[in-house]
Amino acid sequence: MQHLQFGLGIRSQIANSLAQQKHPAIDFVEAHTENYFNPHSLSSHQLSQAAQHYPVTLHGVGLSLGSAQGMDKQHLRKVKLCVERYQPALVSEHLSWSQVDGQHFNDLLPVPYTEESFKVFADNIKQFQDSLQRQILIENPSAYLQYADSQIEEADFLNQLSAETGCGLLLDINNVFVSAFNQGSEGVIAAGKRYLEQIDSHRVKQLHMAGHTEKQIGDARVLIDTHNQPVRDEVWALYRHYLSLSQAPMMVLLEWDSDFPEFEVLEQQLSLLRTHADSAKNAQELSHA
Amino acid sequence: MLEQLQREFSAYLRRQDEQVFELLAPTSVSAQQAMQIYRNNYVASLSEALQASYPTVLQLVGEESFDSIARAYLAKFGHNSGDLNRFGEHFAEFTASLPELRSLDYLCDVARFDWLMEQVSAAPHSDTPFDVAALSSVSEAQFIDLVFNLRPQLALFASAHPIVTIHQMVSEQQVEAIELNTSEYAALIKQPDFSVRVLPLSASEHRFLQHCQRQRPLAELDEECLEQLQALLGMALQQQLLSGFNAAAKA
């Protein structure tokens, strides 16, 4: 039987509730590493309290593993201190870049998937893992553009990075859908399924699920990865599809970053993570019967 | 090649230079529309960080003006650290340099106060009791050479404007006309629940605590503070502003 754990991102709006008590629907909490650099802050105190109730995973957003100029060493040192302090179950970062010439952009910017980018990521991931003395996971980003000189498909790029560096993968199912939609793929669900089938599921240790927002830009519709909505039906469909492909134990996270609803809505979303996982497993068993 | 691409991407985010468009492949939106999504995220996330750090400035100037100041700040300084908590550290001086804010000359000090509040709330906290018994055992001759240490969760604030009053009025949404050319002094003290207590100080109390902060011996206090030394020390001990003391190092 596949072992799945279901977690929630800890954010300032709900940190107090997670710090005060163990919610039965939540198996673990995930924190954005950069919010916990200062051990004396309220957020660090709340995370320490929450860690008494839940396993913690740390998810970085600012190390910029795709920077051609390399990582910011000071930033890496702060991440390392955070990892030592909280002893997280998993440590993850993104397949993206966010700094060049000393300027940081506080965003997950896309890279072209080329041999040069591959070498940059591989070197930085190895350095990151060597520094922490542990495996990290890399997450697929959401993208609003494509580069003309990309030569490798994103799923292959991730598989090869994992094989080259030994890093694990964090598969964000919502990002798969958002990117497929924004890149104008014909048949978005089919494109998303192909992506999930292409990913080496043995390397995936964590899933992210979230909501997105649709915007009209000129004549085109664009999906923005806002994490402020319930998960959309198409993303549930991709989630079920992926779980029907994988037997690996995994931590499944619900991300919600802004426009926070009542806590009951988050609990309902967590409950749906379990329900859809069960239905994927039932379908898998039926197909094997 | 990748480095050049990242520089061009950066140039669009910071200055809307369009060279990066040539590197993009067609999707459902144009190159400019796609890049604008990233630029909007960049500007919005950093403006939000400034709003969170400077709530009193935001209330005083309003959202529209704040947004325009934040964009100008971002254009001038960019963001040179992956730690978002440091992004606003030059904002107070920046507001003082803007010609359109010259009539609001107190705004720079309001910004300094907001920033200090945020820094104090995330400062280390020490609740080790002050060793009063050890202080009583110091001889009269040695006393004047003592250096007192402020608690790490404390910061001092001084302004030629009534910033503490303005901050309080804005926080309580009870703004009324006040005399703007009145100096105010305060100690900002982090509490165990991470809130910050604002303790108004007199000018001499502020000078005394500033003297302690600079790690100078009592003997070097100004005449007025020396005359009030017993009262000043009593206030600092009663308010639990001091963590300890030591003898000044001999030159």
Side-chain angles (χ1 to χ4, degrees):
Chain A
M1 184 70 183
Q2 184 181 27
H3 181 61
L4 299 177
Q5 291 175 276
F6 299 92
L8 184 62
I10 183 166
R11 307 287 182 264
S12 60
Q13 296 88 337
I14 54 170
N16 207 34
S17 174
L18 296 172
Q20 297 298 325
Q21 58 183 307
K22 169 77 175 83
H23 292 267
I26 300 171
D27 299 328
F28 72 98
V29 294
E30 180 156 292
H32 280 175
T33 316
E34 282 75 7
N35 293 340
Y36 303 90
F37 279 173
N38 180 350
H40 307 293
S41 68
L42 173 61
S43 54
S44 293
H45 174 70
Q46 288 169 325
L47 183 58
S48 298
Q49 285 187 311
Q52 292 172 17
H53 309 302
Y54 313 92
V56 169
T57 57
L58 282 181
H59 186 51
V61 293
L63 198 50
S64 193
L65 293 170
S67 276
Q69 295 172 344
M71 294 177 288
D72 177 337
K73 300 289 183 295
Q74 202 182 4
H75 197 98
L76 177 59
R77 191 178 54 78
K78 290 178 182 176
V79 171
K80 184 173 159 64
L81 287 173
C82 237
V83 169
E84 287 168 356
R85 195 178 318 127
Y86 295 107
Q87 296 292 316
L90 297 172
V91 178
S92 55
E93 251 290 351
H94 292 84
L95 188 71
S96 64
W97 70 281
S98 58
Q99 61 106 358
V100 64
D101 294 332
Q103 283 297 312
H104 292 252
F105 297 102
N106 195 41
D107 199 356
L108 305 167
L109 306 174
V111 288
Y113 299 127
T114 61
E115 283 183 19
E116 184 194 5
S117 303
F118 184 85
K119 186 173 179 331
V120 165
F121 272 111
D123 288 349
N124 287 336
I125 290 169
K126 283 177 190 167
Q127 198 183 332
F128 188 17
Q129 292 186 139
D130 286 349
S131 169
L132 300 187
Q133 288 293 295
R134 60 180 290 168
Q135 185 192 46
I136 61 152
L137 311 185
I138 297 297
E139 178 184 349
N140 57 304
S142 54
Y144 309 110
L145 56 74
Q146 270 185 312
Y147 291 104
D149 69 345
S150 267
Q151 299 147 355
I152 310 169
E153 289 192 46
E154 185 176 285
D156 283 340
F157 195 89
L158 283 164
N159 289 340
Q160 288 170 31
L161 265 183
S162 177
E164 170 76 16
T165 66
C167 74
L169 299 179
L170 190 174
L171 192 52
D172 188 315
I173 307 277
N174 182 55
N175 286 354
V176 170
F177 182 75
V178 165
S179 294
F181 186 97
N182 290 339
Q183 288 166 355
S185 305
E186 291 286 329
V188 180
I189 293 278
K193 284 184 176 176
R194 269 199 309 280
Y195 184 107
L196 298 178
E197 287 158 12
Q198 222 172 323
I199 284 284
D200 183 349
S201 63
H202 293 98
R203 301 185 187 279
V204 177
K205 302 276 179 72
Q206 190 178 10
L207 300 182
H208 274 182
M209 291 288 285
H212 55 258
T213 304
E214 187 173 318
K215 266 187 90 172
Q216 189 75 30
I217 299 183
D219 294 334
R221 291 186 303 147
V222 176
L223 301 185
I224 310 285
D225 183 28
T226 47
H227 298 182
N228 65 347
Q229 306 272 335
V231 176
R232 300 293 182 98
D233 288 346
E234 301 93 327
V235 179
W236 285 124
L238 290 177
Y239 173 66
R240 289 193 303 273
H241 184 72
Y242 183 73
L243 288 180
S244 74
L245 301 170
S246 167
Q247 298 291 336
M250 253 177 304
M251 300 179 97
V252 183
L253 182 84
L254 174 70
E255 292 186 293
W256 201 301
D257 291 347
S258 60
D259 304 328
F260 270 80
E262 295 295 319
F263 204 83
E264 291 73 39
V265 176
L266 300 176
E267 287 178 319
Q268 283 163 12
Q269 290 284 296
L270 282 160
S271 168
L272 284 171
L273 285 177
R274 291 172 201 273
T275 310
H276 285 278
D278 288 345
S279 89
K281 287 299 138 195
N282 290 340
Q284 190 182 44
E285 281 162 19
L286 277 175
S287 71
H288 289 160
Chain B
M1 180 74 179
L2 182 62
E3 186 174 6
Q4 184 57 27
L5 177 150
Q6 290 175 341
R7 285 198 166 123
E8 289 180 12
F9 205 116
S10 161
Y12 183 82
L13 295 181
R14 297 200 66 198
R15 300 183 297 275
Q16 293 176 279
D17 290 351
E18 297 183 353
Q19 292 99 312
V20 71
F21 292 177
E22 292 167 21
L23 304 173
L24 305 184
T27 61
S28 53
V29 293
S30 70
Q32 189 193 11
Q33 287 167 331
M35 286 301 298
Q36 191 61 38
I37 295 172
Y38 288 103
R39 184 171 150 77
N40 289 347
N41 285 347
Y42 168 58
V43 174
S45 71
L46 292 173
S47 296
E48 280 167 21
L50 280 184
Q51 286 193 5
S53 295
Y54 295 97
T56 318
V57 176
L58 174 64
Q59 289 284 312
L60 287 172
V61 303
E63 203 156 335
E64 201 174 318
S65 294
F66 191 95
D67 186 54
S68 142
I69 301 168
R71 281 170 185 271
Y73 179 75
L74 184 55
K76 174 156 187 190
F77 289 96
H79 177 33
N80 56 15
S81 153
D83 183 355
L84 207 51
N85 294 314
R86 304 307 311 167
F87 173 59
E89 62 187 334
H90 306 295
F91 190 67
E93 307 93 89
F94 180 71
T95 59
S97 72
L98 293 176
E100 62 268 35
L101 295 179
R102 206 152 283 155
S103 61
L104 304 175
D105 60 346
Y106 59 90
L107 201 65
C108 167
D109 284 357
V110 173
R112 269 199 312 119
F113 190 85
D114 273 346
W115 182 252
L116 208 53
M117 288 286 280
E118 188 174 78
Q119 298 307 303
V120 168
S121 76
H125 190 277
S126 158
D127 51 10
T128 312
F130 184 92
D131 192 344
V132 181
L135 184 62
S136 348
S137 68
V138 175
S139 72
E140 207 170 315
Q142 290 170 323
F143 190 79
I144 203 74
D145 289 327
L146 293 185
V147 171
F148 285 88
N149 308 312
L150 298 188
R151 290 196 181 276
Q153 65 266 31
L154 180 151
L156 299 173
F157 180 82
S159 170
H161 304 289
I163 303 302
V164 178
T165 305
I166 291 172
H167 175 262
Q168 189 181 353
M169 289 195 307
V170 171
S171 306
E172 295 170 0
Q173 298 191 320
Q174 290 185 334
V175 178
E176 45 189 78
I178 53 166
E179 169 55 53
L180 284 172
N181 292 317
T182 310
S183 296
E184 280 191 347
Y185 308 89
L188 278 53
I189 311 149
K190 179 183 183 176
Q191 303 298 294
D193 67 355
F194 293 81
S195 63
V196 176
R197 178 164 74 102
V198 179
L199 174 69
L201 300 172
S202 67
S204 54
E205 287 169 339
H206 181 267
R207 284 205 310 283
F208 169 68
L209 292 171
Q210 204 170 41
H211 191 81
C212 297
Q213 190 174 50
R214 289 176 182 148
Q215 291 282 284
R216 303 309 307 162
L218 295 180
E220 293 179 14
L221 272 168
D222 64 62
E223 205 172 320
E224 189 186 349
C225 283
L226 274 175
E227 280 170 13
Q228 300 173 28
L229 184 56
Q230 199 175 351
L232 292 172
L233 199 50
M235 178 280 299
L237 287 172
Q238 193 196 359
Q239 297 290 343
Q240 301 183 351
L241 307 182
L242 304 176
S243 59
F245 62 92
N246 49 274
K250 296 287 179 199

